[in-house]
Amino acid sequence: MQKTALVTGVTGQDGAYLSRYLLQRGYRVVGAHRATSIHSRSRLACLGIEEHIEYVDMDLVELASVLRVVEAVRPDEIYNLAAQSFVGRSFEQPVYTADVDALGVTRLLEAIRTVNSGIRFYQASTSEMFGCALHAPQTEETPFFPRNPYGVAKLYAHWITANYRDAYGIHASSGILYNHESPLRGREFVTRKITSQLALIKYGRQKELALGNIDAKRDWGFAGDYVEGMWRMLQSDKSASYVLATGQAHTVREFAQISAAELGLDLVWEGKGIHERGIDRKSGKTIITIDPEFYRPTEVETLVGSPCKAEQTLGWKRHVSFEELVGMMAHADDQLARDGTYSF
Ligand code: NAP
Ligand code: G4F
């Protein structure tokens, strides 16, 4: 029998890749988004699936809206991808971030408990919960130490998911996902900011790219690989928490270096701290500057995860390497910058 999946945050990066994955597996996919969505369905259109999804209006800050949708759709599985997902913005909007990213999850879990406690639930947890991590690589057992309002809100969501699992026997799993990127990534996140702006610089449409802490290290994988892990969590007999990561960390500086090379720019670095600059050796022009505006009040310097449990228990495996990911994003943005068309 055909299964129905309700995907919240369907207009986002992961919403698009997960919906495509579920459609390929024969699911009926119902995508929930806000009536006031700031994103169009352009990511879904980009993957050629916009017309294959049913859409419902739902805002995670409104309990009645969440209840009505779960009642009407009667899903077998809910993937909760909706969130205010930008760490930088969470410092500016901590209360809103908590409402959506923390309490929003309780609203969904309450809807499941009320409508049908047999619905399987995926919560989009994050490596940001480890924050100032005490060990590296982090595992499902590493203590949490969040460093920003986003991480704190997501930690509440993570624990409430575990609580509904234990208290009510709901099949509720948390994916503790490390940074995953793609050509569909929002342009406020550092990877896409780098590839989109360096591509514009290459075509003379922009002069410089301003970055913050380029020594920060992240464990970057490809979003298309990670959505398969989400699905695998909900097919497992037992619900649990799983880390999805690559096990390798790279600096923002390395990401910029490889992006520049993929775009045909020969990047060399000069200077230190806020005076550091990235120069294109061929033209001699400064193309990267450091702007303290992009520093965070509290930074997470390094995150790197161990995907051992997911690999061994779920049979999950990532396929795209760091270098392939950077190349994929740089080439997609090269084309967009050349054609001058950005829809996300
Ligand atoms: P994204 O591109 O920012 O998408 C977030 C989605 O949430 C958008 O569709 C947005 O819809 C929706 N949303 C925001 N506020 C909402 C609200 N009040 N009610 C309903 N929908 C709302 O994020 P992503 O990269 O796909 O990430 C998906 C999830 O995984 C997020 O929960 C994120 O926190 C988590 N996560 C991401 C990563 C990563 O590296 N990508 C890693 C770990 C965890 P609009 O179009 O209406 O704005
Ligand atoms: O790309 P970022 O904004 O991603 P961040 O903060 O790691 O969060 C992303 O990954 C999390 C999983 O670990 C998700 F839960 C979350 O939803 C989101 O998807 O920043 C990465 C690093 C940071 O250390 C930041 O300080 O890059 C540094 N950075 C340096 N210059 C910059 C910039 N980040 C941004 N966004 N913009 C800059 O100019």
Side-chain angles (χ1 to χ4, degrees), residues 103-140:
L103 291 180
V105 180
T106 313
R107 294 183 186 104
L108 265 172
L109 288 163
E110 272 298 284
I112 290 175
R113 186 160 81 99
T114 308
V115 174
N116 170 13
S117 58
I119 297 170
R120 294 191 172 197
F121 181 72
Y122 172 83
Q123 168 55 18
S125 287
T126 165
S127 51
E128 279 292 328
M129 300 185 309
F130 295 123
C132 250
L134 301 179
H135 311 127
Q138 296 88 47
T139 71
E140 294 76 8

Short mmCIF file of all heavy atoms in Angstrom, two decimals, residues 103-140:
data_model
loop_
_atom_site.label_atom_id
_atom_site.label_comp_id
_atom_site.label_asym_id
_atom_site.label_seq_id
_atom_site.Cartn_x
_atom_site.Cartn_y
_atom_site.Cartn_z
N LEU A 103 9.42 24.87 20.49
CA LEU A 103 8.00 24.60 20.77
C LEU A 103 7.26 24.04 19.57
O LEU A 103 6.33 23.24 19.72
CB LEU A 103 7.31 25.88 21.27
CG LEU A 103 7.77 26.33 22.66
CD1 LEU A 103 7.04 27.60 23.08
CD2 LEU A 103 7.53 25.23 23.70
N GLY A 104 7.68 24.43 18.37
CA GLY A 104 7.04 23.91 17.16
C GLY A 104 7.07 22.39 17.12
O GLY A 104 6.14 21.74 16.64
N VAL A 105 8.13 21.82 17.66
CA VAL A 105 8.28 20.36 17.65
C VAL A 105 7.30 19.73 18.64
O VAL A 105 6.69 18.69 18.38
CB VAL A 105 9.74 19.97 17.95
CG1 VAL A 105 9.92 18.47 17.93
CG2 VAL A 105 10.66 20.63 16.94
N THR A 106 7.11 20.40 19.78
CA THR A 106 6.11 19.90 20.74
C THR A 106 4.72 19.96 20.12
O THR A 106 3.90 19.05 20.32
CB THR A 106 6.13 20.75 22.03
OG1 THR A 106 7.47 20.91 22.44
CG2 THR A 106 5.35 20.08 23.13
N ARG A 107 4.45 21.00 19.37
CA ARG A 107 3.13 21.10 18.72
C ARG A 107 2.92 19.91 17.78
O ARG A 107 1.86 19.28 17.78
CB ARG A 107 3.00 22.43 17.97
CG ARG A 107 3.02 23.63 18.90
CD ARG A 107 2.82 24.96 18.16
NE ARG A 107 2.98 26.06 19.11
CZ ARG A 107 4.06 26.85 19.19
NH1 ARG A 107 5.05 26.71 18.34
NH2 ARG A 107 4.12 27.79 20.10
N LEU A 108 3.94 19.57 17.02
CA LEU A 108 3.81 18.43 16.10
C LEU A 108 3.64 17.12 16.86
O LEU A 108 2.81 16.29 16.51
CB LEU A 108 5.07 18.34 15.24
CG LEU A 108 5.02 19.02 13.87
CD1 LEU A 108 6.40 19.00 13.24
CD2 LEU A 108 4.02 18.33 12.94
N LEU A 109 4.43 16.96 17.91
CA LEU A 109 4.34 15.71 18.69
C LEU A 109 2.98 15.59 19.38
O LEU A 109 2.41 14.49 19.47
CB LEU A 109 5.49 15.64 19.71
CG LEU A 109 6.87 15.38 19.08
CD1 LEU A 109 7.99 15.74 20.05
CD2 LEU A 109 7.00 13.92 18.63
N GLU A 110 2.45 16.72 19.84
CA GLU A 110 1.11 16.70 20.45
C GLU A 110 0.06 16.31 19.40
O GLU A 110 -0.88 15.58 19.69
CB GLU A 110 0.78 18.08 21.05
CG GLU A 110 1.24 18.23 22.47
CD GLU A 110 0.56 17.23 23.42
OE1 GLU A 110 -0.61 17.43 23.75
OE2 GLU A 110 1.21 16.24 23.80
N ALA A 111 0.25 16.82 18.19
CA ALA A 111 -0.70 16.48 17.12
C ALA A 111 -0.64 14.98 16.85
O ALA A 111 -1.69 14.32 16.69
CB ALA A 111 -0.37 17.27 15.87
N ILE A 112 0.56 14.40 16.85
CA ILE A 112 0.70 12.96 16.63
C ILE A 112 0.01 12.19 17.76
O ILE A 112 -0.76 11.26 17.54
CB ILE A 112 2.19 12.57 16.53
CG1 ILE A 112 2.79 13.13 15.24
CG2 ILE A 112 2.38 11.06 16.62
CD1 ILE A 112 4.29 12.92 15.09
N ARG A 113 0.27 12.63 18.99
CA ARG A 113 -0.31 11.94 20.16
C ARG A 113 -1.84 12.01 20.11
O ARG A 113 -2.53 11.05 20.47
CB ARG A 113 0.19 12.61 21.44
CG ARG A 113 -0.21 11.91 22.71
CD ARG A 113 0.71 12.33 23.82
NE ARG A 113 0.34 13.61 24.40
CZ ARG A 113 -0.34 13.75 25.53
NH1 ARG A 113 -0.75 12.68 26.18
NH2 ARG A 113 -0.59 14.94 26.01
N THR A 114 -2.37 13.12 19.62
CA THR A 114 -3.81 13.31 19.59
C THR A 114 -4.45 12.56 18.43
O THR A 114 -5.48 11.90 18.59
CB THR A 114 -4.13 14.83 19.43
OG1 THR A 114 -3.42 15.53 20.43
CG2 THR A 114 -5.62 15.10 19.55
N VAL A 115 -3.84 12.65 17.26
CA VAL A 115 -4.48 12.11 16.04
C VAL A 115 -4.20 10.62 15.88
O VAL A 115 -5.11 9.83 15.63
CB VAL A 115 -4.00 12.90 14.79
CG1 VAL A 115 -4.52 12.26 13.51
CG2 VAL A 115 -4.41 14.35 14.89
N ASN A 116 -2.93 10.23 15.99
CA ASN A 116 -2.57 8.81 15.77
C ASN A 116 -1.13 8.60 16.24
O ASN A 116 -0.19 8.99 15.55
CB ASN A 116 -2.70 8.47 14.28
CG ASN A 116 -2.12 7.11 13.94
OD1 ASN A 116 -1.81 6.30 14.82
ND2 ASN A 116 -1.95 6.85 12.65
N SER A 117 -0.97 7.96 17.38
CA SER A 117 0.38 7.81 17.93
C SER A 117 1.20 6.77 17.16
O SER A 117 2.37 6.52 17.50
CB SER A 117 0.32 7.48 19.42
OG SER A 117 -0.43 6.31 19.59
N GLY A 118 0.61 6.21 16.10
CA GLY A 118 1.36 5.27 15.26
C GLY A 118 2.14 5.96 14.15
O GLY A 118 2.91 5.34 13.42
N ILE A 119 1.94 7.27 14.00
CA ILE A 119 2.68 8.01 12.96
C ILE A 119 4.16 8.03 13.35
O ILE A 119 4.50 8.34 14.49
CB ILE A 119 2.15 9.46 12.85
CG1 ILE A 119 0.69 9.48 12.41
CG2 ILE A 119 3.02 10.28 11.89
CD1 ILE A 119 0.02 10.87 12.51
N ARG A 120 5.02 7.72 12.39
CA ARG A 120 6.47 7.77 12.67
C ARG A 120 6.99 9.19 12.44
O ARG A 120 6.56 9.86 11.49
CB ARG A 120 7.22 6.77 11.79
CG ARG A 120 6.83 5.34 12.17
CD ARG A 120 7.72 4.30 11.51
NE ARG A 120 7.40 2.99 12.08
CZ ARG A 120 8.17 1.93 11.97
NH1 ARG A 120 9.32 1.99 11.33
NH2 ARG A 120 7.82 0.78 12.52
N PHE A 121 7.92 9.61 13.30
CA PHE A 121 8.33 11.01 13.32
C PHE A 121 9.85 11.16 13.21
O PHE A 121 10.59 10.50 13.94
CB PHE A 121 7.85 11.65 14.63
CG PHE A 121 8.19 13.11 14.77
CD1 PHE A 121 7.55 14.07 14.02
CD2 PHE A 121 9.16 13.52 15.69
CE1 PHE A 121 7.86 15.43 14.15
CE2 PHE A 121 9.48 14.87 15.83
CZ PHE A 121 8.82 15.82 15.06
N TYR A 122 10.27 12.03 12.30
CA TYR A 122 11.70 12.37 12.18
C TYR A 122 11.90 13.81 12.61
O TYR A 122 11.25 14.72 12.09
CB TYR A 122 12.19 12.23 10.72
CG TYR A 122 13.60 12.75 10.55
CD1 TYR A 122 14.68 11.95 10.86
CD2 TYR A 122 13.83 14.06 10.12
CE1 TYR A 122 15.99 12.44 10.74
CE2 TYR A 122 15.12 14.55 10.01
CZ TYR A 122 16.19 13.73 10.33
OH TYR A 122 17.48 14.22 10.23
N GLN A 123 12.82 14.04 13.55
CA GLN A 123 13.18 15.40 13.96
C GLN A 123 14.56 15.76 13.43
O GLN A 123 15.52 15.03 13.63
CB GLN A 123 13.13 15.53 15.49
CG GLN A 123 13.74 16.80 16.05
CD GLN A 123 13.15 18.10 15.47
OE1 GLN A 123 12.06 18.10 14.88
NE2 GLN A 123 13.84 19.19 15.62
N ALA A 124 14.62 16.95 12.79
CA ALA A 124 15.89 17.44 12.24
C ALA A 124 16.73 18.06 13.34
O ALA A 124 16.73 19.27 13.54
CB ALA A 124 15.61 18.44 11.12
N SER A 125 17.46 17.22 14.06
CA SER A 125 18.39 17.72 15.07
C SER A 125 19.70 18.10 14.39
O SER A 125 19.88 17.87 13.19
CB SER A 125 18.62 16.66 16.15
OG SER A 125 17.48 16.57 16.97
N THR A 126 20.61 18.64 15.18
CA THR A 126 21.79 19.24 14.56
C THR A 126 23.06 19.09 15.39
O THR A 126 23.01 19.06 16.63
CB THR A 126 21.53 20.75 14.33
OG1 THR A 126 22.78 21.40 14.04
CG2 THR A 126 20.95 21.43 15.56
N SER A 127 24.19 19.08 14.71
CA SER A 127 25.48 19.05 15.39
C SER A 127 25.70 20.32 16.22
O SER A 127 26.54 20.32 17.12
CB SER A 127 26.60 18.92 14.35
OG SER A 127 26.46 19.90 13.34
N GLU A 128 24.94 21.39 15.92
CA GLU A 128 25.06 22.62 16.72
C GLU A 128 24.71 22.36 18.19
O GLU A 128 25.06 23.16 19.05
CB GLU A 128 24.15 23.71 16.15
CG GLU A 128 24.73 24.43 14.96
CD GLU A 128 25.94 25.29 15.30
OE1 GLU A 128 26.00 25.83 16.41
OE2 GLU A 128 26.82 25.41 14.44
N MET A 129 24.03 21.27 18.49
CA MET A 129 23.72 20.93 19.89
C MET A 129 25.01 20.60 20.65
O MET A 129 25.09 20.77 21.85
CB MET A 129 22.75 19.75 19.97
CG MET A 129 21.43 20.02 19.27
SD MET A 129 20.21 18.71 19.47
CE MET A 129 21.09 17.25 19.02
N PHE A 130 26.04 20.13 19.93
CA PHE A 130 27.32 19.81 20.60
C PHE A 130 28.12 21.08 20.88
O PHE A 130 28.88 21.13 21.84
CB PHE A 130 28.17 18.86 19.75
CG PHE A 130 27.55 17.51 19.56
CD1 PHE A 130 27.30 17.00 18.29
CD2 PHE A 130 27.21 16.72 20.66
CE1 PHE A 130 26.74 15.75 18.11
CE2 PHE A 130 26.65 15.46 20.49
CZ PHE A 130 26.41 14.98 19.21
N GLY A 131 27.94 22.09 20.02
CA GLY A 131 28.55 23.41 20.23
C GLY A 131 30.03 23.35 20.57
O GLY A 131 30.86 22.94 19.77
N CYS A 132 30.35 23.73 21.81
CA CYS A 132 31.74 23.66 22.31
C CYS A 132 32.02 22.20 22.66
O CYS A 132 32.15 21.84 23.84
CB CYS A 132 31.83 24.46 23.59
SG CYS A 132 32.75 25.94 23.45
N ALA A 133 32.10 21.37 21.66
CA ALA A 133 32.10 19.92 21.91
C ALA A 133 33.26 19.47 22.78
O ALA A 133 34.38 19.96 22.66
CB ALA A 133 32.14 19.21 20.58
N LEU A 134 32.95 18.53 23.67
CA LEU A 134 33.96 18.05 24.61
C LEU A 134 34.85 16.96 23.99
O LEU A 134 35.93 16.70 24.48
CB LEU A 134 33.28 17.53 25.87
CG LEU A 134 32.42 18.58 26.62
CD1 LEU A 134 31.76 17.98 27.84
CD2 LEU A 134 33.26 19.79 27.02
N HIS A 135 34.34 16.30 22.94
CA HIS A 135 35.15 15.26 22.27
C HIS A 135 35.09 15.45 20.77
O HIS A 135 34.14 16.03 20.26
CB HIS A 135 34.60 13.84 22.54
CG HIS A 135 34.31 13.55 23.97
ND1 HIS A 135 33.09 13.08 24.40
CD2 HIS A 135 35.08 13.67 25.06
CE1 HIS A 135 33.13 12.92 25.71
NE2 HIS A 135 34.33 13.27 26.13
N ALA A 136 36.06 14.89 20.08
CA ALA A 136 36.00 14.85 18.62
C ALA A 136 36.55 13.50 18.14
O ALA A 136 37.56 13.05 18.67
CB ALA A 136 36.83 15.98 18.02
N PRO A 137 35.89 12.83 17.21
CA PRO A 137 34.61 13.21 16.63
C PRO A 137 33.48 12.98 17.62
O PRO A 137 33.59 12.13 18.51
CB PRO A 137 34.48 12.28 15.42
CG PRO A 137 35.25 11.06 15.80
CD PRO A 137 36.39 11.53 16.66
N GLN A 138 32.40 13.72 17.46
CA GLN A 138 31.24 13.55 18.35
C GLN A 138 30.42 12.32 17.93
O GLN A 138 30.36 11.99 16.75
CB GLN A 138 30.34 14.80 18.31
CG GLN A 138 31.00 16.07 18.83
CD GLN A 138 31.75 16.84 17.76
OE1 GLN A 138 31.22 17.05 16.68
NE2 GLN A 138 32.98 17.26 18.04
N THR A 139 29.83 11.69 18.95
CA THR A 139 28.94 10.54 18.70
C THR A 139 27.61 10.83 19.39
O THR A 139 27.44 11.88 20.02
CB THR A 139 29.51 9.24 19.32
OG1 THR A 139 29.40 9.36 20.75
CG2 THR A 139 30.95 8.99 18.93
N GLU A 140 26.70 9.88 19.32
CA GLU A 140 25.38 10.02 19.96
C GLU A 140 25.52 10.16 21.47
O GLU A 140 24.60 10.61 22.15
CB GLU A 140 24.49 8.81 19.63
CG GLU A 140 24.11 8.67 18.15
CD GLU A 140 25.23 8.14 17.26
OE1 GLU A 140 26.29 7.72 17.79
OE2 GLU A 140 25.05 8.15 16.02
#
